[in-house]
């Protein structure tokens, strides 16, 4: 499991405020209940001293210790019974003043004996989905609802194989990793299948960023002009660190020396760190070679598996 620092700290902060809120709400209920049943306050005070009483009893020596402790326990039990009865008489449930947790397993701590609770895992996944850049698409686009109805003849066979191929890619990640280059015109399902991969990886706890080339290079550009000495991490560092980067619409960005060197740096850094990239483009190899320098094209055609998307623009057919 590898979530970005941002994701983890945001979720842990949310857990912190959840615990604070739990306490505040419990305190409010206590105020409410004490106002209606003043006697309960003295019972609670007495109950809160139980620990001290037991400590005191044990300091008195071993002789008759068990008896003394049993006596305290009896008194404690009686107080609790009294307390419950008073609550019920006044129309409250017996657990009215207990802490209420969203997760009873870990009591909203996020960990049980140092092991991450399911609720924290789910929260991390949800946060990761929100920050992946896939947004709403993730709700509707998956492998299961990718329709081959709009493909015909040989295209249908190619696309059906491709879907299975990418499904395997997603299921084997991160044990098996590869860089992919999605090539094909618009409306052939590149976005849908990219989203499907992002979704299944995020659900496995991998960090995925899905962003257009234009936006990624804009972030690099912003970093260039930001004050580097303010101690903040560059915005673009997330693109270097996530488990999978899906860079969409390569070739639609305004291509400058700067974006070309960013692209090379991005590909190179990630490849060195063994962090895969899925690049998606409408350009075919001739155009790629024309737009990008040899250093980039040799990386693209040497280190990426090329996946050709076939068919007629689905959006037009629909
Ligand atoms: Zn939990």
């Amino acid at each position: 499991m590898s979530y970005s620092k941002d994701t983890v700290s945001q979720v842990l902060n949310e857990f912190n405020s959840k615990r604070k809120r739990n306490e505040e709400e419990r305190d409010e209920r206590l105020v409410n209940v004490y106002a209606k049943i003043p006697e309960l306050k003295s019972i609670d005070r007495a109950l809160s001293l139980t620990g001290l009483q037991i400590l005191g009893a044990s300091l008195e020596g071993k002789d008759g210790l068990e008896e003394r402790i049993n006596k305290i326990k009896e008194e404690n039990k009686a107080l609790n019974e009294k307390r419950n009865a008073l609550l019920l008489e006044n129309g409250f449930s017996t657990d009215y003043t207990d802490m209420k947790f969203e997760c009873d397993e870990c009591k909203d701590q996020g960990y049980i004996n140092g092991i991450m609770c399911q609720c924290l895992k789910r929260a991390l996944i949800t946060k990761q989905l929100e920050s992946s850049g896939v947004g709403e698409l993730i709700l509707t686009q998956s492998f299961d609802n990718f329709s081959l109805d709009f493909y015909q003849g040989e295209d249908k066979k190619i696309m059906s194989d491709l879907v299975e191929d990418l499904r395997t890619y997603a299921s084997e990640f991160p044990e098996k990793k590869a860089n992919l280059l999605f090539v094909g015109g618009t409306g052939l399902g590149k976005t849908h299948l990219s989203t499907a991969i992002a979704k299944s990886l995020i659900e496995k706890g991998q960090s995925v960023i899905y962003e257009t080339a234009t936006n990624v290079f804009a972030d690099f550009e912003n970093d260039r002009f930001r004050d580097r000495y303010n101690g903040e991490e560059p915005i673009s560092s997330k693109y270097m660190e996530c488990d999978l980067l899906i860079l969409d619409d390569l070739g639609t960005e305004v291509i400058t020396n700067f974006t070309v060197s960013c692209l090379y740096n991005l590909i190179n850094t990630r490849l060195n760190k063994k962090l895969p990239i899925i690049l998606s483009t409408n350009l075919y190899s001739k155009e790629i070679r024309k737009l990008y320098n040899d250093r980039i094209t040799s990386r693209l055609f040497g280190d990426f598996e090329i996946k050709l998307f076939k068919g007629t623009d689905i959006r037009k057919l629909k």
Side-chain angles (χ1 to χ4, degrees):
M1 193 143 348
S2 45
Y3 294 100
S4 72
K5 271 176 270 169
D6 263 8
T7 303
V8 175
S9 73
Q10 276 180 39
V11 170
L12 290 179
N13 277 337
E14 285 169 15
F15 269 65
N16 256 329
S17 19
K18 196 163 30 178
R19 289 197 297 273
K20 231 191 217 155
R21 208 168 48 233
N22 291 342
E23 273 177 37
E24 283 166 6
E25 285 171 3
R26 195 262 328 260
D27 290 349
E28 271 175 36
R29 289 196 298 276
L30 273 175
V31 170
N32 181 20
V33 99
Y34 288 159
K36 283 190 182 142
I37 324 170
E39 201 187 342
L40 213 70
K41 201 170 186 170
S42 55
I43 294 180
D44 281 354
R45 203 174 299 130
L47 283 170
S48 71
L49 295 174
T50 307
L52 279 179
Q53 284 175 312
I54 291 178
L55 182 68
S58 58
L59 289 177
E60 284 171 33
K62 276 184 184 168
D63 277 350
L65 177 59
E66 204 178 324
E67 257 169 53
R68 289 198 298 277
I69 288 189
N70 281 339
K71 188 167 167 268
I72 296 169
K73 280 186 182 163
E74 284 300 315
E75 285 166 3
N76 201 284
K77 198 177 154 209
L79 281 171
N80 269 313
E81 279 165 3
K82 179 90 191 287
R83 188 181 198 277
N84 286 344
L86 278 169
L87 282 168
L88 290 172
E89 271 167 37
N90 287 276
F92 297 102
S93 62
T94 51
D95 63 357
Y96 180 74
T97 59
D98 292 356
M99 290 277 275
K100 299 273 188 295
F101 303 106
E102 265 175 46
C103 175
D104 289 322
E105 299 289 320
C106 68
K107 307 209 181 320
D108 296 343
Q109 298 291 319
Y111 291 89
I112 307 165
N113 301 326
I115 293 164
M116 202 187 274
C117 180
Q118 288 301 327
C119 73
L120 179 54
K121 283 186 192 165
R122 275 196 306 275
L124 284 166
I125 289 170
T126 308
K127 180 64 70 191
Q128 185 71 68
L129 284 171
E130 285 168 5
S131 61
S132 64
V134 190
E136 298 276 293
L137 286 180
I138 213 113
L139 301 172
T140 55
Q141 301 190 328
S142 66
F143 284 113
D144 291 331
N145 66 13
F146 185 82
S147 166
L148 290 163
D149 293 348
F150 299 99
Y151 300 90
Q152 273 131 27
E154 204 182 324
D155 290 348
K156 195 173 200 150
K157 171 81 177 87
I158 293 171
M159 287 307 290
S160 148
D161 290 348
L162 181 57
V163 173
E164 281 324 299
D165 189 15
L166 296 179
R167 201 196 278 269
T168 309
Y169 177 89
S171 73
E172 291 178 345
F173 198 99
E175 286 73 31
K176 267 174 121 177
K177 300 178 194 173
N179 303 295
L180 308 179
L181 180 61
F182 288 178
V183 180
T186 40
L188 299 184
K190 297 198 301 292
T191 303
H192 190 129
L193 292 176
S194 299
T195 309
I197 293 174
K199 185 188 171 98
S200 55
L201 262 53
I202 291 169
E203 284 169 354
K204 283 201 283 184
Q206 299 285 310
S207 58
V208 180
I209 293 179
Y210 184 162
E211 197 51 271
T212 62
T214 304
N215 288 344
V216 169
F217 297 133
D219 281 344
F220 277 103
E221 186 86 35
N222 284 333
D223 281 339
R224 207 173 152 198
F225 296 109
R226 247 163 34 123
D227 177 11
R228 274 310 175 78
Y229 300 98
N230 62 5
E232 281 173 36
E233 222 178 305
I235 309 166
S236 59
S237 59
K238 61 184 177 191
Y239 302 123
M240 303 289 194
E241 287 158 9
C242 58
D243 295 319
L244 177 70
L245 174 66
I246 303 178
L247 192 67
D248 201 11
D249 273 342
L250 184 72
T252 58
E253 76 278 13
V254 177
I255 296 171
T256 64
N257 284 340
F258 177 72
T259 62
V260 170
S261 85
C262 279
L263 178 62
Y264 181 74
N265 186 22
L266 184 61
I267 293 177
N268 218 26
T269 307
R270 292 192 59 93
L271 260 51
N272 286 338
K273 290 188 183 176
K274 306 241 179 312
L275 294 172
I277 314 176
I278 295 179
L279 285 173
S280 183
T281 182
N282 297 342
L283 306 171
Y284 288 89
S285 76
K286 225 192 214 163
E287 298 157 301
I288 293 176
R289 287 182 202 281
K290 214 158 78 188
L291 287 174
Y292 300 100
N293 60 34
D294 287 348
R295 290 204 303 171
I296 291 177
T297 49
S298 74
R299 278 295 203 187
L300 292 184
F301 297 113
D303 295 296
F304 285 68
E305 286 177 26
I306 297 173
K307 304 289 177 194
L308 280 176
F309 283 64
K310 294 286 194 174
T312 324
D313 190 340
I314 298 170
R315 278 169 279 188
K316 279 183 196 153
L317 287 175
K318 276 180 183 165

